[in-house]
mmCIF file with all atom_site columns, all heavy atoms in Angstrom:
data_model
loop_
_atom_site.group_PDB
_atom_site.id
_atom_site.type_symbol
_atom_site.label_atom_id
_atom_site.label_alt_id
_atom_site.label_comp_id
_atom_site.label_asym_id
_atom_site.label_entity_id
_atom_site.label_seq_id
_atom_site.pdbx_PDB_ins_code
_atom_site.Cartn_x
_atom_site.Cartn_y
_atom_site.Cartn_z
_atom_site.occupancy
_atom_site.B_iso_or_equiv
_atom_site.pdbx_formal_charge
_atom_site.auth_seq_id
_atom_site.auth_comp_id
_atom_site.auth_asym_id
_atom_site.auth_atom_id
_atom_site.pdbx_PDB_model_num
ATOM 1  N N   . SER A 1 189 ? -4.141 -7.849  -21.133 1.00 92.00 ? 198 SER A N   1
ATOM 2  C CA  . SER A 1 189 ? -2.849 -8.560  -20.990 1.00 92.00 ? 198 SER A CA  1
ATOM 3  C C   . SER A 1 189 ? -3.024 -9.994  -20.446 1.00 92.00 ? 198 SER A C   1
ATOM 4  O O   . SER A 1 189 ? -2.036 -10.578 -19.955 1.00 92.00 ? 198 SER A O   1
ATOM 5  C CB  . SER A 1 189 ? -1.918 -7.757  -19.978 1.00 92.00 ? 198 SER A CB  1
ATOM 6  O OG  . SER A 1 189 ? -1.674 -6.522  -20.527 1.00 92.00 ? 198 SER A OG  1
ATOM 7  N N   . ASN A 1 190 ? -4.232 -10.455 -20.517 1.00 93.00 ? 199 ASN A N   1
ATOM 8  C CA  . ASN A 1 190 ? -4.571 -11.830 -20.071 1.00 93.00 ? 199 ASN A CA  1
ATOM 9  C C   . ASN A 1 190 ? -4.337 -12.083 -18.624 1.00 93.00 ? 199 ASN A C   1
ATOM 10 O O   . ASN A 1 190 ? -4.051 -13.221 -18.262 1.00 93.00 ? 199 ASN A O   1
ATOM 11 C CB  . ASN A 1 190 ? -3.817 -12.848 -20.973 1.00 93.00 ? 199 ASN A CB  1
ATOM 12 C CG  . ASN A 1 190 ? -4.160 -12.759 -22.408 1.00 93.00 ? 199 ASN A CG  1
ATOM 13 O OD1 . ASN A 1 190 ? -5.262 -12.743 -22.767 1.00 93.00 ? 199 ASN A OD1 1
ATOM 14 N ND2 . ASN A 1 190 ? -3.142 -12.759 -23.284 1.00 93.00 ? 199 ASN A ND2 1
ATOM 15 N N   . ILE A 1 191 ? -4.418 -10.996 -17.849 1.00 96.00 ? 200 ILE A N   1
ATOM 16 C CA  . ILE A 1 191 ? -4.397 -11.186 -16.390 1.00 96.00 ? 200 ILE A CA  1
ATOM 17 C C   . ILE A 1 191 ? -5.745 -11.401 -15.835 1.00 96.00 ? 200 ILE A C   1
ATOM 18 O O   . ILE A 1 191 ? -6.736 -10.648 -16.171 1.00 96.00 ? 200 ILE A O   1
ATOM 19 C CB  . ILE A 1 191 ? -3.763 -9.875  -15.740 1.00 96.00 ? 200 ILE A CB  1
ATOM 20 C CG1 . ILE A 1 191 ? -2.297 -9.639  -16.296 1.00 96.00 ? 200 ILE A CG1 1
ATOM 21 C CG2 . ILE A 1 191 ? -3.735 -10.002 -14.224 1.00 96.00 ? 200 ILE A CG2 1
ATOM 22 C CD1 . ILE A 1 191 ? -1.390 -10.709 -16.025 1.00 96.00 ? 200 ILE A CD1 1
ATOM 23 N N   . GLU A 1 192 ? -5.933 -12.495 -15.001 1.00 95.00 ? 201 GLU A N   1
ATOM 24 C CA  . GLU A 1 192 ? -7.258 -12.798 -14.553 1.00 95.00 ? 201 GLU A CA  1
ATOM 25 C C   . GLU A 1 192 ? -7.516 -12.499 -13.082 1.00 95.00 ? 201 GLU A C   1
ATOM 26 O O   . GLU A 1 192 ? -8.704 -12.533 -12.618 1.00 95.00 ? 201 GLU A O   1
ATOM 27 C CB  . GLU A 1 192 ? -7.440 -14.329 -14.770 1.00 95.00 ? 201 GLU A CB  1
ATOM 28 C CG  . GLU A 1 192 ? -7.319 -14.733 -16.230 1.00 95.00 ? 201 GLU A CG  1
ATOM 29 C CD  . GLU A 1 192 ? -7.611 -16.245 -16.423 1.00 95.00 ? 201 GLU A CD  1
ATOM 30 O OE1 . GLU A 1 192 ? -7.592 -17.000 -15.392 1.00 95.00 ? 201 GLU A OE1 1
ATOM 31 O OE2 . GLU A 1 192 ? -7.718 -16.621 -17.563 1.00 95.00 ? 201 GLU A OE2 1
ATOM 32 N N   . ILE A 1 193 ? -6.491 -12.202 -12.323 1.00 98.00 ? 202 ILE A N   1
ATOM 33 C CA  . ILE A 1 193 ? -6.706 -11.974 -10.824 1.00 98.00 ? 202 ILE A CA  1
ATOM 34 C C   . ILE A 1 193 ? -6.183 -10.621 -10.462 1.00 98.00 ? 202 ILE A C   1
ATOM 35 O O   . ILE A 1 193 ? -5.084 -10.242 -10.915 1.00 98.00 ? 202 ILE A O   1
ATOM 36 C CB  . ILE A 1 193 ? -5.907 -13.101 -10.034 1.00 98.00 ? 202 ILE A CB  1
ATOM 37 C CG1 . ILE A 1 193 ? -6.518 -14.463 -10.370 1.00 98.00 ? 202 ILE A CG1 1
ATOM 38 C CG2 . ILE A 1 193 ? -6.107 -12.829 -8.598  1.00 98.00 ? 202 ILE A CG2 1
ATOM 39 C CD1 . ILE A 1 193 ? -7.964 -14.664 -10.018 1.00 98.00 ? 202 ILE A CD1 1
ATOM 40 N N   . LEU A 1 194 ? -6.864 -9.960  -9.525  1.00 98.00 ? 203 LEU A N   1
ATOM 41 C CA  . LEU A 1 194 ? -6.437 -8.693  -9.034  1.00 98.00 ? 203 LEU A CA  1
ATOM 42 C C   . LEU A 1 194 ? -6.417 -8.760  -7.508  1.00 98.00 ? 203 LEU A C   1
ATOM 43 O O   . LEU A 1 194 ? -7.378 -9.102  -6.908  1.00 98.00 ? 203 LEU A O   1
ATOM 44 C CB  . LEU A 1 194 ? -7.328 -7.541  -9.518  1.00 98.00 ? 203 LEU A CB  1
ATOM 45 C CG  . LEU A 1 194 ? -7.043 -6.125  -9.032  1.00 98.00 ? 203 LEU A CG  1
ATOM 46 C CD1 . LEU A 1 194 ? -5.589 -5.691  -9.459  1.00 98.00 ? 203 LEU A CD1 1
ATOM 47 C CD2 . LEU A 1 194 ? -8.058 -5.095  -9.551  1.00 98.00 ? 203 LEU A CD2 1
ATOM 48 N N   . ASN A 1 195 ? -5.270 -8.352  -6.937  1.00 98.00 ? 204 ASN A N   1
ATOM 49 C CA  . ASN A 1 195 ? -5.116 -8.410  -5.461  1.00 98.00 ? 204 ASN A CA  1
ATOM 50 C C   . ASN A 1 195 ? -4.981 -7.022  -4.904  1.00 98.00 ? 204 ASN A C   1
ATOM 51 O O   . ASN A 1 195 ? -4.483 -6.089  -5.558  1.00 98.00 ? 204 ASN A O   1
ATOM 52 C CB  . ASN A 1 195 ? -3.816 -9.197  -5.167  1.00 98.00 ? 204 ASN A CB  1
ATOM 53 C CG  . ASN A 1 195 ? -3.854 -10.591 -5.657  1.00 98.00 ? 204 ASN A CG  1
ATOM 54 O OD1 . ASN A 1 195 ? -4.635 -11.406 -5.161  1.00 98.00 ? 204 ASN A OD1 1
ATOM 55 N ND2 . ASN A 1 195 ? -2.949 -10.938 -6.578  1.00 98.00 ? 204 ASN A ND2 1
ATOM 56 N N   . VAL A 1 196 ? -5.332 -6.859  -3.663  1.00 98.00 ? 205 VAL A N   1
ATOM 57 C CA  . VAL A 1 196 ? -5.182 -5.506  -2.973  1.00 98.00 ? 205 VAL A CA  1
ATOM 58 C C   . VAL A 1 196 ? -5.033 -5.840  -1.490  1.00 98.00 ? 205 VAL A C   1
ATOM 59 O O   . VAL A 1 196 ? -5.633 -6.778  -0.947  1.00 98.00 ? 205 VAL A O   1
ATOM 60 C CB  . VAL A 1 196 ? -6.294 -4.557  -3.288  1.00 98.00 ? 205 VAL A CB  1
ATOM 61 C CG1 . VAL A 1 196 ? -7.634 -5.024  -2.672  1.00 98.00 ? 205 VAL A CG1 1
ATOM 62 C CG2 . VAL A 1 196 ? -5.958 -3.120  -2.817  1.00 98.00 ? 205 VAL A CG2 1
ATOM 63 N N   . VAL A 1 197 ? -4.304 -4.922  -0.784  1.00 98.00 ? 206 VAL A N   1
ATOM 64 C CA  . VAL A 1 197 ? -4.136 -5.073  0.697   1.00 98.00 ? 206 VAL A CA  1
ATOM 65 C C   . VAL A 1 197 ? -4.628 -3.772  1.330   1.00 98.00 ? 206 VAL A C   1
ATOM 66 O O   . VAL A 1 197 ? -4.324 -2.690  0.828   1.00 98.00 ? 206 VAL A O   1
ATOM 67 C CB  . VAL A 1 197 ? -2.582 -5.292  1.032   1.00 98.00 ? 206 VAL A CB  1
ATOM 68 C CG1 . VAL A 1 197 ? -2.359 -5.191  2.504   1.00 98.00 ? 206 VAL A CG1 1
ATOM 69 C CG2 . VAL A 1 197 ? -2.133 -6.624  0.474   1.00 98.00 ? 206 VAL A CG2 1
ATOM 70 N N   . THR A 1 198 ? -5.319 -3.932  2.440   1.00 98.00 ? 207 THR A N   1
ATOM 71 C CA  . THR A 1 198 ? -5.747 -2.729  3.204   1.00 98.00 ? 207 THR A CA  1
ATOM 72 C C   . THR A 1 198 ? -5.707 -3.084  4.679   1.00 98.00 ? 207 THR A C   1
ATOM 73 O O   . THR A 1 198 ? -5.294 -4.229  5.019   1.00 98.00 ? 207 THR A O   1
ATOM 74 C CB  . THR A 1 198 ? -7.092 -2.220  2.751   1.00 98.00 ? 207 THR A CB  1
ATOM 75 O OG1 . THR A 1 198 ? -7.301 -0.916  3.359   1.00 98.00 ? 207 THR A OG1 1
ATOM 76 C CG2 . THR A 1 198 ? -8.172 -3.087  3.121   1.00 98.00 ? 207 THR A CG2 1
#
Side-chain angles (χ1 to χ4, degrees):
S198 300
N199 298 314
I200 301 298
E201 298 182 349
I202 300 295
L203 181 58
N204 301 295
V205 68
V206 171
T207 192

